Structure formats: C-alpha cells, structure tokens
Amino acid sequence: MKKNPIVGAIFLMAAFLLLVPSAQAQKTKKKAYEHTVVEIPAGQRTVIPVETEHTQLVLVAQANRVLQTLHYGNRIADPQAFGSLRTFRDSGNGSGPMAFPTAGGKYLGEPALHVKYTDGYHNTELYYTGHDVHRSGDVVTTEIRLKDYVTQLEVKLVYDAYQKEDVICTHTEILNAGNLPVELVQYASGSLYVEADRYLLTHFHGGWAFEMGMDSDILTHGTKVIESRRGTQVTQCNNPSFLLSLNTDRLQENEGEVIAGALAWSGNFRMSFELDESDRLNVLAGISPHASAYTLASGATFVTPDMIYTYSRRGAGQASRNLHAWARHYGVYGGGNINPTLLNSWEGAYFNFTTETLLRMIDDAAGMGLEMFVLDDGWFAKDFPRNSDNAGLGDWEVNTDKLPEGIDYVASYAHEKGLRFGIWIEPEMVNPQSNLARNHPEWVVQSPGREMYQSRNQWVLDLSNPAVQDFVFGVFDNTMQLSGNIDYIKWDCNRTVANFGSEYLDADQDRFYVEYTQGIYNVMRRIREKYPDTIVQCCSSGGGRVDYGALKYFNEIWTSDNTDALSRVYIQYATNLIYPACVMASHVSAVPNHQTGNVTPLKFRFDIACSGRLGMELQPRNLTDREKALADRCIQSYKQYRDLVFNGDVYRLASPYDGDFYALMYVSQDRKRAVVFTYCIKYQNRAVGGHVFRMDGLDPGKQYKVTELNVDRSRWWGSGKVHAGDFLMEGGFNPLLLQTFDSAVFYLEAQ
Ligand code: GLA
C-alpha cells in the first residue's frame, strides 16, 4: 500500500507533541538552576579606585558589568580617567583582565574561582552589583559585590588599603546563596593582572637547613606555579611570597617597578603566574586546590586568607620596606615590640642535661648580658622519656627523673638571675613511643589500611578534629601552668603530612588540609585570648612555617636550623626581602658549625646574628674568656641599636647574590640614627678590599658621627669622625674587609 504523506506527518506531529513535553519535564526535574536574574542593570562604567598614599589599584566595572583590573601602580590624581581606557591587549577569548576570573563564560585561563554546581555544571560568571567603602584609622576597606546570574553564588572581594604602608590586602568571601550545596574546586584569595613587556619573578624555595633559597626567572608564556602540598611544615619547599620585577632582567634594589606579594596561609598554598597570549600576566594566590574541593552548603560562606601586595617604583628595597612597615603595624603579633636576647639550650646541650646543666647555662647567659634562657627539647615524658627524638612527643609531663626539681625551679632561678624563661613544645605531633599514641590512635593523621610513615620517628596529630584542637591548646595551657615564670614558648612542628586522612572527617576527607590549618588558627586564637603577652616563636624544623598567616599569632620565627653564619647570610637576606628583621631569630652557635662544618670567626657570627633578633645557642662553658668578653661586648652594643633592627627601615647595600660582599643598614624613621652591617663572604682581590658601599637611607643634608662597634681599633679610616650624609651616600664609606669573614658594624648618630 502506498503511504499517505499527510497522515504520516500528522502521526509524527502527534507523537512529537506527546513525547516532547514529558522529555522536557524530565529535564526540568534534573535541572537545579534557572537562568533567572537580570536584576543587574547594565549601564555606565563604574570606576573603583583602591588607593594608598602612593599607589593605586583601579578596578572598573565595565558596561557589561564585568569587573576588570585596569591599573596597579603609582597613584594618579583622577582615577576616573581609567573609566574610558580601552585596552588593546586582549586574550584571544576576549575576556579581558578580569579582577577575579572565574571558570565559565569566555574566560579560559587559570581561574581564581572554579565552582562545580549540583547539576554537574562548571560555569560561573560574576557581575558587579555594587560596592561600599569605609575607613578605620589608616585602613580604607573597599568591598565589591559580585554575583553569578544563574546560581545565586555571591562573591565579595574585600580590599584593605593600608594608607601609609602602601600595602593592599585582599580576600574573598564566597556565599552560597542558592538552595543546593556547591563544590569550590579552586578558590584563590585574589587575582592581579599586570601589563609589562618583561616579567622577572623572584621566589623562594628550600628545604631543611637551607630555607629561602632564591630563584629569579624571566617568565615565559604559560603558567609558573609555586606550591606546597606538604600539609604541615609547608614552607620547607617554597615560600608563599614573591617579588615581581617589571621590564628588567635583574632584581634591582633601588630602581624599577617591583610588586611584592605574599599569602597569609600556613597550609597548602598555590601561587600561579600565567603569561597569556596578549603578554599580560595574571597572578593568583590562594589555598592549594590539591585534594581540597570544598563543599559549601546552602547559606554558607567561605572566607579565603589574605593575599598581600605592595607596589614600588624604587626597586625591591622600597617593596620590602612597605611590607615590613605593614607587618610591624598589622601583620606580626606583637610587632613593634623588642623581643629579648636569649640563650637556647638546643645546640649547647641537645637532650643531655640535668637541672645543674641548665642552672649553669643560666648563670653564663646572665653573665654575658643575655636576657632570657630557653629550655629546648628533652624536658618531658616519663614512661617514654624524651631523651632522644624517638620517644615522648605527646606526653607533656615533666620528666622528673631528669629534672627532679621541676620546671618552676629552673624558671624561678632564671628570674632570680634577671633573665626571662622560655620552653619548647611540639604539640601537633606524637611519637608512636608515647602514652598518647596508645590512648588516642584515632587522633593520628592516617588513611585506613595505609602505611603510617614516620618522619623523625613521629606522626602528625589530626588538627581538623576539635578534640585534638582542645588537646593541643591544653599542651600550651598546661605547660604555662608548670611555672608562673614562663615568658616564652618555642612552638615546633617537625614533619610533613603523609598519607593524609582524618578519622574525624569520615567521608569529607577533602576538608582535611583546609581544616587542619584552620584548626591551628583556632588553637592560636584561644592561646592569644588567654596569653596575650607570652612571646611565642614559630619553629618548624627551622623555617618550615614562615608566612603571614602564622605571624598573626606568633611573635617571631626560627629562621633556620642552619646556624652557620655564612649560610645565614643567604637565608636572612632572602627572608628579609619579605619578612621584617624583628621576626628573624638568629643565634650565634659553636664552630665547626653543627650543620655545615664551617668555621667562621666569632665576631662574624655575632655580626650576622645581630642583624636579626640576637640569641646564642651553644654551651657557654666552651667559650674562652676572650670569646666571652667579645660576646659580652657584642651583646651590649646590640642593646644600644637593636630598636633600629626591630623597627627601623632596611636598606640593603650589597646583595650576597651579586658579589663577594653583603651589607645592609637599618635607619630610624627620623633618619637620625642608623646601624650598618658589612661583611666579606669571599676573598677577592686585595686591591678592592676597601669596598665602597653607598649608605642609602641617610638624610643627605645631615652630619653623622660614624663609630665602628665591637672593635678596639677600627680598620676604617673614617670611624669616630663626623661625615656628611651625602658623602656617605655617594662613595665616602669604604670599610676595609680584606679576608673572608671579615665584618664590620657601624653605628651612626646625626649631630
Ligand atoms: C627542631 C628545631 C630545633 C630544635 C629541635 C629539637 O629541629 O628546629 O631548633 O628545637 O627541633 O628537637
């Protein structure tokens, strides 16, 4: 039979009408989001300047409501001019320099924010909905509200602009205003688009006993990532900080454009530098997304840590000074205070001491004019005594076999001698050889069925668990109760995480790394409420937790377990590019150095240690009388100028990476006083022994009396005389540093 085409068509249409609605209904059922909002009115461009005294970040909400970064640099009088700027650099996808790029829309680069929604889709497009500005003292805060037009995700970009310091801190608050949970796949703190012809990235890497090594590379197209996935001890590989020099091949101290940045987070972090096809660079800094997809419940907000940055037109020197000034006022706990000089027991006694050993060390410390004694590892645990690093962590009771009179006896003795007293703890860790490991195996970081790898014979406690947070707080609290005379705690953390996992988090293992770090911060907040005046040092096998997140709670860092003065030249130089000298604990130790075997003169060791927070870490009984007299002299002179080290402005006069000398100076804010440190780190041609250092940082119009410290007779012809500031700045200062490890320290006073 011949088919009737009309009947066939009617039949097909009927089938279509019957089938399609049900398919559509099914689809709608699965769909979690509708394309609803268009409450965001398109319109004029809105220019949002985030300003400090000398710098300006200009964000512009374009007519299509996309927020872009159009300027970060020197401040201009009328930032509205950027409202009409047309940028000719555009990535092929046409997304432009977004202020907070998201995975979605036309943006195809590395996103600051990548969200996966419950319906399985990955697109987020944020549009500007408004902003507020408010001022509190020296800080102007700009809060910019952005919203995704489908999923109701709301993002607030918060910029704190520190006026005098020229520093901007930015963080992001992500609110899930929808009805369903969402998964934050990537959630950086901030993004910074920069335009230049050439980008030189300087960043810091290292490991145990060689922290803060320095790499400077010209960025090529693609993405350079600096990351740590270590969970704990995160900065024993990379540091969450950088210097970005624009349009130059060299890191310059006094010239050129430099952006310095850091992330205030003590856990896994990620910084990426993506140079795109339009030669524009996007800098992202935030928590590492590694194994950390974060589920945000309906109504919940996630607040990222701060990304901190500053802009300098006067090289790395000004960038450091900006960061340091900010750190001293806002970024470091107790910043601005002068922390005491000290003798630490570790390298002088290790685990082998009695009460008598400690009392004699206290006598010697007092005799040399030091101000505190710190009892390091080895004082605790009874059933599994801490006489080596293979037992005892977790059992924080005094080992009365070793110290029968207890801690209070030693601490009170120190106080009687006029010294303060400090003590070491490592509360996040446990040795398998301990009662704690036996009583609370569920508190140990582990993954079911997998090897529990030991490192330094220890495991990590699971700080994502609030019960463990209580325990760790208790370790600090109980230690403080051992004596009313404890002034200082050295908080250590000696290993990284392996086979991460938390019994407490159960199916939510993705939260482990973030909640571990938040767990430490919870504990530190409680500690600071109860013990606001206790000085707390952040140690992690040396500089394993050096970041501005930790420094909100800690007064200082143990810069490195490497106490060799030559190694310290490089470690301290780089640390001080980002972190102020007031946090850099720096100790004079014995020779041959226990880490490197190097032998350096005692004077050189002191002159290096005195450029940070001075301490000693050796057995004073092993010093000769002459050495003790030199120690005494260096400690006395340090007290005369250390306010400059702690609170002055740093000027680096010679980089150890550039030649055979290292030199730096700290200057008072009024430029009336200064201390200058000069070192020879490698023998060179005798004919250039009198090396010229330009004393940048002085007032050229002032007259300064220059006196070399810690010597009977200066080898510099100009010591003890008055010189014009401009003479010292322009070539008149040429101390004689002939041999390797010659060093000279000068004190300057305006007349
Ligand atoms: C770590 C620290 C050292 C010292 C030892 C004690 O290595 O960095 O300073 O405290 O632990 O075990």
Side-chain angles (χ1 to χ4, degrees):
M1 201 177 77
K2 210 180 165 197
K3 273 188 190 167
N4 182 338
I6 297 176
V7 172
I10 291 172
F11 179 79
L12 270 175
M13 259 172 76
F16 181 78
L17 288 173
L18 278 172
L19 284 173
V20 167
S22 68
Q24 254 177 357
Q26 251 186 10
K27 250 190 165 178
T28 323
K29 240 196 204 162
K30 271 210 229 146
K31 221 165 137 188
Y33 304 100
E34 298 288 346
H35 185 122
T36 45
V37 186
V38 186
E39 58 174 79
I40 302 154
Q44 295 296 309
R45 294 183 181 88
T46 309
V47 176
I48 311 169
V50 175
E51 296 170 329
T52 65
E53 260 177 32
H54 304 102
T55 72
Q56 202 168 43
L57 172 73
V58 182
L59 305 163
V60 178
Q62 298 292 2
N64 63 2
R65 304 276 112 184
V66 172
L67 189 72
Q68 297 191 332
T69 305
L70 291 191
H71 173 67
Y72 183 47
N74 275 351
R75 182 172 172 161
I76 65 161
D78 180 15
Q80 293 299 325
F82 284 102
S84 51
L85 181 85
R86 293 284 168 279
T87 167
F88 295 111
R89 280 196 200 198
D90 246 326
S91 40
N93 52 29
S95 59
M98 295 167 80
F100 196 69
T102 54
K106 290 192 281 184
Y107 186 74
L108 303 173
E110 185 76 24
L113 180 67
H114 175 178
V115 185
K116 185 177 173 194
Y117 296 96
T118 311
D119 60 3
Y121 287 87
H122 287 254
N123 296 305
T124 302
E125 291 174 274
L126 296 175
Y127 287 96
Y128 167 77
T129 62
H131 74 278
D132 300 308
V133 180
H134 50 269
R135 186 175 184 125
S136 158
D138 190 34
V139 191
V140 177
T141 300
T142 306
E143 298 189 343
I144 306 176
R145 294 183 296 282
L146 307 173
K147 191 168 184 175
D148 179 72
Y149 62 88
V150 172
T151 61
Q152 314 297 323
L153 191 84
E154 291 180 18
V155 171
K156 201 194 280 173
L157 307 181
V158 183
Y159 297 87
D160 292 317
Y162 294 84
Q163 298 303 296
K164 289 199 194 72
E165 296 77 12
D166 288 326
V167 166
I168 294 174
C169 291
T170 184
H171 73 266
T172 302
E173 299 175 10
I174 306 161
L175 165 68
N176 178 9
N179 297 326
L180 298 163
V182 300
E183 187 181 303
L184 306 182
V185 182
Q186 270 170 282
Y187 36 104
S189 297
S191 156
L192 187 63
Y193 261 106
V194 188
E195 274 186 24
D197 295 332
R198 220 162 161 68
Y199 306 91
L200 178 81
L201 175 69
T202 301
H203 64 99
F204 310 96
H205 62 90
W208 178 75
F210 198 74
E211 293 82 350
M212 297 297 278
M214 197 170 89
D215 273 344
S216 286
D217 309 300
I218 291 284
L219 290 173
T220 52
H221 292 90
T223 307
K224 165 91 184 176
V225 173
I226 297 163
E227 188 168 25
S228 177
R229 301 175 172 212
R230 299 163 72 92
T232 49
Q233 220 185 49
V234 291
T235 63
Q236 293 279 16
C237 58
N238 291 302
N239 192 269
S241 60
F242 65 89
L243 297 166
L244 184 68
S245 308
L246 306 182
N247 302 315
T248 175
D249 291 347
R250 291 186 56 236
L251 178 63
Q252 299 182 100
E253 186 58 27
N254 297 314
E255 288 154 25
E257 286 183 272
V258 175
I259 295 169
L263 182 76
W265 183 246
S266 312
N268 289 350
F269 66 86
R270 187 172 200 268
M271 290 185 158
S272 66
F273 301 82
E274 182 177 17
L275 185 56
D276 69 16
E277 62 273 29
S278 62
D279 287 353
R280 199 187 264 137
L281 185 74
N282 182 27
V283 182
L284 296 175
I287 294 173
S288 167
H290 166 64
S292 297
Y294 197 91
T295 302
L296 198 60
S298 163
T301 300
F302 186 87
V303 180
T304 70
D306 268 327
M307 174 185 183
I308 303 150
Y309 46 84
T310 187
Y311 171 85
S312 154
R313 190 63 75 84
R314 287 193 284 145
Q318 190 59 47
S320 297
R321 287 187 287 280
N322 293 350
L323 280 184
H324 295 174
W326 168 83
R328 288 193 300 264
H329 291 122
Y330 305 98
V332 173
Y333 192 87
N337 295 346
I338 303 240
N339 296 326
T341 56
L342 60 88
L343 175 68
N344 176 297
S345 67
W346 182 241
E347 286 196 25
Y350 291 109
F351 293 104
N352 311 315
F353 54 81
T354 60
T355 303
E356 185 61 18
T357 321
L358 304 180
L359 301 189
R360 297 297 73 80
M361 284 180 114
I362 290 170
D363 289 341
D364 290 332
M368 289 186 292
L370 293 169
E371 297 156 312
M372 181 157 69
F373 176 72
V374 178
L375 171 54
D376 210 284
D377 199 351
W379 58 268
F380 55 93
K382 279 188 197 155
D383 296 338
F384 302 92
R386 182 76 174 168
N387 290 324
S388 76
D389 64 16
N390 65 12
L393 284 177
D395 298 353
W396 296 98
E397 75 266 279
V398 183
N399 179 356
T400 41
D401 291 337
K402 202 167 179 176
L403 301 173
E405 298 84 356
I407 293 299
D408 184 49
Y409 181 79
V410 183
S412 304
Y413 185 82
H415 274 230
E416 276 162 32
K417 293 280 165 178
L419 298 188
R420 296 199 239 175
F421 181 79
I423 194 164
W424 179 96
I425 55 175
E426 193 183 358
E428 296 159 74
M429 300 287 161
V430 59
N431 284 120
Q433 297 297 319
S434 69
N435 287 321
L436 183 71
R438 283 163 175 72
N439 296 337
H440 284 290
E442 77 287 5
W443 283 1
V444 178
V445 170
Q446 58 195 295
S447 179
R450 299 202 177 274
E451 181 76 29
M452 291 169 72
Y453 297 108
Q454 293 180 30
S455 171
R456 209 191 189 210
N457 312 305
Q458 66 197 58
W459 291 323
V460 183
L461 293 177
D462 173 15
L463 262 280
S464 71
N465 181 344
V468 177
Q469 293 172 25
D470 286 345
F471 170 80
V472 170
F473 171 77
V475 173
F476 191 105
D477 199 23
N478 297 337
T479 304
M480 289 299 290
Q481 308 312 317
L482 292 175
S483 163
N485 289 325
I486 297 179
D487 307 288
Y488 174 105
I489 296 275
K490 174 174 173 177
W491 177 302
D492 213 337
C493 170
N494 279 315
R495 66 158 294 176
T496 56
V497 168
N499 267 337
F500 84 92
S502 157
E503 193 177 305
Y504 167 77
L505 289 174
D506 198 12
D508 273 335
Q509 297 299 316
D510 284 351
R511 300 178 96 90
F512 173 78
Y513 286 119
V514 171
E515 294 195 359
Y516 186 101
T517 307
Q518 289 173 337
I520 296 175
Y521 293 158
N522 291 342
V523 171
M524 288 313 296
R525 262 192 298 275
R526 287 169 69 183
I527 288 173
R528 282 322 189 178
E529 263 164 39
K530 188 158 180 190
Y531 300 104
D533 300 327
T534 307
I535 302 170
V536 189
Q537 182 187 71
C538 186
C539 172
S540 181
S541 304
R545 194 179 264 161
V546 176
D547 71 87
Y548 279 121
L551 285 168
K552 276 186 198 157
Y553 306 100
F554 292 88
N555 303 69
E556 62 171 31
I557 55 165
W558 179 222
T559 317
S560 177
D561 269 356
N562 186 342
T563 55
D564 174 3
L566 180 59
S567 301
R568 279 299 186 111
V569 164
Y570 295 92
I571 296 170
Q572 294 182 187
Y573 165 80
T575 302
N576 193 227
L577 281 166
I578 303 292
Y579 304 97
C582 62
V583 305
M584 284 197 312
S586 187
H587 295 177
V588 173
S589 59
V591 288
N593 181 269
H594 293 190
Q595 291 77 38
T596 65
N598 262 350
V599 176
T600 53
L602 186 61
K603 168 98 171 29
F604 185 78
R605 281 176 272 154
F606 263 103
D607 289 350
I608 290 291
C610 285
S611 67
R613 194 277 287 135
L614 170 67
M616 293 182 78
E617 187 158 336
L618 44 65
Q619 172 50 269
R621 299 270 130 154
N622 297 337
L623 293 175
T624 63
D625 286 347
R626 265 185 82 177
E627 287 174 325
K628 271 198 181 142
L630 177 63
D632 189 78
R633 186 171 193 172
C634 293
I635 293 163
Q636 294 319 315
S637 65
Y638 178 74
K639 290 177 186 167
Q640 172 192 358
Y641 63 74
R642 67 172 156 187
D643 61 303
L644 301 169
V645 177
F646 275 77
N647 290 317
D649 282 335
V650 71
Y651 287 80
R652 290 175 288 262
L653 314 183
S655 160
Y657 282 90
D658 286 347
D660 303 337
F661 299 97
Y662 173 43
L664 72 165
M665 68 192 288
Y666 300 102
V667 189
S668 64
Q669 309 298 324
D670 61 9
R671 298 185 180 229
K672 285 188 177 154
R673 292 165 63 238
V675 58
V676 182
F677 298 89
T678 61
Y679 314 93
C680 175
I681 51 178
K682 200 166 151 214
Y683 172 76
Q684 19 61 51
N685 175 0
R686 283 264 155 145
V688 295
H691 187 79
V692 175
F693 302 99
R694 295 183 200 281
M695 285 198 195
D696 304 312
L698 294 183
D699 178 341
K702 285 192 164 69
Q703 298 287 321
Y704 293 92
K705 179 161 188 203
V706 184
T707 313
E708 182 171 355
L709 303 175
N710 308 331
V711 288
D712 292 330
R713 266 192 54 225
S714 175
R715 288 201 291 170
W716 184 51
W717 60 270
S719 178
K721 299 183 183 147
V722 175
H723 305 276
D726 60 355
F727 173 69
L728 297 169
M729 295 172 82
E730 298 301 331
F733 176 58
N734 61 345
L736 198 59
L737 300 166
L738 283 179
Q739 294 186 328
T740 315
F741 307 135
D742 272 355
S743 60
V745 180
F746 298 87
Y747 182 62
L748 276 74
E749 253 179 323
Q751 300 302 293

